[in-house]
Amino acid sequence: MKRFLIFIALLSQIAFGQNFNITNELSFGGSSWDILQVIPDASGTGYYFYGSSNSSGTFDHQSTNYGNSDIWLIRTDLDYTILWEKTYGGSGNDTGLDAVILNNHLYLGTTSDSPISGNKTLDPFGSKDVWLLKLDLDGAIIWQKTYGGLESESSVRIEAYQNQILMYTTSYSNISGNITTTNQGLSDCWVALINPTDGAINDQTMIGSSSEESTGGLEVIDDRIFIITNTYGDGGDIPELQPGFGLDIVLFELNASLDIIQTKGYYGNSSDFARRFIKKSDNEYFLITESQSSISGDKTSDPFGSNDIWLLKLDANFNVVWDTIYGGSYYDVSTPFAHIDDNGSLVLAGISNSAPGTGNKMAPIHGHDDIWILIINPANGDVIAEASFGGNEPDHPTELLPLGNGKLLIVGGTESGISGNKNVPLKGIIDAWIIETDASNYLNAMEIEANRLHKFYPNPVLKSVTLDLKEGHDYNEIRFFAADSREILFRAIKNGETTLHFDFTGTSGLIFYTLSGTSETHSGRIMKLKY
């Protein structure tokens, strides 16, 4: 048993951890809880870390806490040295959710139930409103505005759009406060264009059904606006989706006047949650979601566990080209933190509590919940590489930024002390965990093409499997191992050989392989089915 565990650990390092080493690691926090996201500054000289905090006057958080939770803003240089930090808030709950830099000013979008108190100078219209702050680049408040009605607004997203601030929130309010559009159900998607000079609302619309919508995502792509929502109903602006027992996903495309250009829905027979919508090219889009559904509707795979990451590739008209899932036997959660890297790979950040070797997850589990990073080949959805980061308590991603040259900046919320592959101590209840990791072995200009140097099919396999090698490869041997670490097959590869066949009759379960050459080694696994 010990020999097997050592083998699996070594294989994981070769196949799913190589060049994912942590090159820099630190944490920001006070004695209570602090959860941060990050945005690069406009000059390329550092970062703004922003989020929610309940700490005050301890460790990195020396500024005042005004209430239960405040917005905490940190300015750092490129080495993450804190240049200054400030808090914004009132006596209630002020939760930092989104930020954007426009015309050398920083805009912070938050939801707030605080009355006039602290450094908040406006009462809410209802139980909770959107609170938008315009700051100079040194964190001084230029102006602050509230947006909402007599009920509650939540989960704000903001983007820069045509020299305006585009705001998206879920609203339970009807016409009241500064909402001038009618709510169609329990909660709708409220979208507004805001003048960055004085905070005035230039235009607004309310999108929804007779039921309840929740905030999914906001994207500006090629001067087009995309709103993603999760919905329980249909009618109004929501098409009939033959919905399942839970949430379905709806994508809206809007023009500059906030009119709906087109609407698309995606669903399975249970709850599905939209996280992010990304363009790769004019004919390639990706919808990143989380699913509890079995095969039904647009979903073509049964879940591995209670929740899986569900990825849909869409064409130019946003029709599904293919879909696939990522996860293990427990739960795996998608997040909005994703991007198309310089080499064209799709990079995803999720949360995983599944053990390796279950489902199609191979990265190790360090504790309760880990940060799970996947590098995906956008042509077919194959996992090029994966890695997990975490300690013995829950850890989750809050941001993922490409740094160039194959490096990634991961920001997370951590409850772990030094354990797993976390090497910095915990300062409070929850800290912001900042990780630089080197994924250049997978994120370089040739990585996707290099990954196509070999392909096994069919996989899963019933009896025999074929290995296709691209012409010009330099592989010279392949070894196969059973799950108990026994080597079950060795084959030398002749110079110029491009097609090899292997018979695994009598074997079942996972078969691991290492494909070696003079300049590189690739490892992976094949699923052998029983008769």
Side-chain angles (χ1 to χ4, degrees):
M1 180 64 179
K2 182 178 179 181
R3 184 166 174 257
F4 168 65
L5 293 176
I6 292 172
F7 166 74
I8 291 298
L10 289 173
L11 182 64
S12 296
Q13 290 175 9
I14 293 171
F16 307 105
Q18 183 181 3
N19 232 19
F20 266 103
N21 56 302
I22 296 174
T23 56
N24 198 358
E25 178 184 7
L26 67 155
S27 64
F28 293 142
S31 59
S32 189
W33 56 264
D34 307 275
I35 303 173
L36 299 177
Q37 296 172 251
V38 66
I39 184 172
D41 69 6
S43 62
T45 60
Y47 303 96
Y48 291 99
F49 290 87
Y50 65 96
S52 302
S53 175
N54 189 241
S55 296
S56 180
T58 52
F59 300 109
D60 305 304
H61 196 309
Q62 293 297 313
S63 52
T64 302
N65 177 274
Y66 297 109
N68 185 28
S69 61
D70 292 333
I71 302 173
W72 188 27
L73 178 65
I74 302 173
R75 177 73 163 94
T76 77
D77 61 19
L78 290 174
D79 294 321
Y80 313 109
T81 301
I82 295 177
L83 304 178
W84 51 259
E85 50 91 18
K86 298 182 180 183
T87 54
Y88 309 88
S91 58
N93 291 283
D94 309 285
T95 307
L97 289 174
D98 213 353
V100 66
I101 293 176
L102 177 64
N103 298 331
N104 290 318
H105 289 89
L106 176 65
Y107 295 82
L108 291 177
T110 176
T111 55
S112 174
D113 62 11
S114 293
I116 296 173
S117 52
N119 53 9
K120 186 175 185 228
T121 61
L122 302 163
D123 282 324
F125 294 112
S127 58
K128 183 166 64 173
D129 289 337
V130 174
W131 185 31
L132 183 66
L133 295 94
K134 179 179 181 178
L135 312 177
D136 67 21
L137 296 183
D138 293 319
I141 298 175
I142 305 299
W143 53 250
Q144 52 181 287
K145 300 288 183 180
T146 56
Y147 304 94
L150 294 178
E151 299 298 330
S152 176
E153 283 68 49
S154 62
S155 302
V156 65
R157 302 285 184 268
I158 58 174
E159 290 284 350
Y161 180 72
Q162 295 186 353
N163 203 35
Q164 301 172 94
I165 300 298
L166 175 64
M167 180 189 75
Y168 167 37
T169 183
T170 298
S171 176
Y172 288 85
S173 299
N174 217 316
I175 296 174
S176 55
N178 48 17
I179 294 177
T180 61
T181 53
T182 303
N183 187 302
Q184 302 181 61
L186 297 175
S187 63
D188 284 348
C189 306
W190 185 35
V191 184
L193 289 169
I194 296 168
N195 189 318
T197 302
D198 59 8
I201 297 176
N202 291 337
D203 201 358
Q204 62 177 285
T205 189
M206 194 78 76
I207 303 170
S209 71
S210 59
S211 185
E212 185 173 10
E213 282 69 56
S214 62
T215 307
L218 171 65
E219 309 289 345
V220 174
I221 301 174
D222 300 333
D223 220 26
R224 295 179 295 169
I225 300 169
F226 293 92
I227 300 293
I228 312 170
T229 185
N230 303 302
T231 181
Y232 283 102
D234 52 43
D237 302 306
I238 306 294
E240 172 60 52
L241 297 179
Q242 299 177 347
F245 299 107
L247 288 168
D248 296 321
I249 299 163
V250 178
L251 173 68
F252 294 101
E253 180 183 358
L254 310 182
N255 62 19
S257 300
L258 303 184
D259 299 317
I260 298 173
I261 299 173
Q262 64 172 316
T263 307
K264 291 284 186 179
Y266 310 90
Y267 71 98
N269 59 7
S270 188
S271 287
D272 308 295
F273 311 87
R275 306 296 189 193
R276 189 74 191 272
F277 180 65
I278 294 179
K279 176 185 176 181
K280 185 177 185 297
S281 69
D282 288 340
N283 298 312
E284 293 179 286
Y285 296 82
F286 290 93
L287 183 62
I288 301 160
T289 78
E290 176 188 333
S291 178
Q292 299 173 354
S293 296
S294 55
I295 296 174
S296 56
D298 298 294
K299 191 160 186 281
T300 63
S301 302
D302 282 327
F304 294 121
S306 60
N307 293 60
D308 294 321
I309 297 173
W310 183 27
L311 177 67
L312 299 90
K313 183 173 183 177
L314 311 179
D315 63 17
N317 297 313
F318 313 128
N319 299 310
V320 179
V321 178
W322 52 253
D323 73 297
T324 190
I325 60 172
Y326 309 99
S329 59
Y330 200 22
Y331 65 81
D332 304 276
V333 179
S334 62
T335 71
F337 314 118
H339 66 271
I340 301 292
D341 211 79
D342 291 341
N343 76 323
S345 296
L346 176 61
V347 186
L348 308 180
I351 304 168
S352 179
N353 194 267
S354 294
T358 61
N360 57 6
K361 189 205 171 192
M362 297 303 295
I365 181 76
H366 299 288
H368 190 273
D369 293 341
D370 287 341
I371 299 169
W372 187 26
I373 305 297
L374 300 118
I375 299 177
I376 306 296
N377 186 335
N380 52 24
D382 287 348
V383 177
I384 296 172
E386 58 181 289
S388 59
F389 302 90
N392 56 7
E393 296 295 335
D395 305 284
H396 61 275
T398 57
E399 192 59 84
L400 174 68
L401 288 180
L403 298 179
N405 298 319
K407 289 188 176 182
L408 301 172
L409 174 60
I410 304 165
V411 182
T414 179
E415 299 178 46
S416 297
I418 297 175
S419 53
N421 58 1
K422 182 174 185 278
N423 300 297
V424 291
L426 186 68
K427 299 172 182 176
I429 299 172
I430 303 175
D431 291 344
W433 185 20
I434 291 89
I435 306 164
E436 273 193 10
T437 183
D438 182 1
S440 58
N441 192 53
Y442 306 107
L443 292 176
N444 56 62
M446 297 301 296
E447 184 48 40
I448 291 181
E449 190 63 26
N451 194 59
R452 295 175 183 167
L453 289 177
H454 75 278
K455 180 179 179 62
F456 280 99
Y457 65 90
N459 186 15
V461 56
L462 186 60
K463 291 184 180 180
S464 60
V465 64
T466 297
L467 169 61
D468 274 352
L469 299 174
K470 191 173 182 179
E471 290 186 6
H473 73 85
D474 67 351
Y475 297 123
N476 51 41
E477 67 175 37
I478 186 166
R479 298 177 184 269
F480 296 92
F481 300 87
D484 61 1
S485 80
R486 291 178 297 108
E487 183 173 301
I488 58 176
L489 184 63
F490 167 81
R491 172 80 176 271
I493 301 173
K494 299 176 182 178
N495 186 32
E497 195 171 15
T498 58
T499 303
L500 297 88
H501 304 282
F502 304 95
D503 189 348
F504 290 115
T505 302
T507 304
S508 64
L510 281 175
I511 299 172
F512 300 93
Y513 69 86
T514 58
L515 185 61
S516 303
T518 56
S519 63
E520 60 182 331
T521 297
H522 281 280
S523 298
R525 78 280 193 213
I526 300 167
M527 173 60 75
K528 174 62 173 63
L529 302 174
K530 294 181 179 180
Y531 293 108

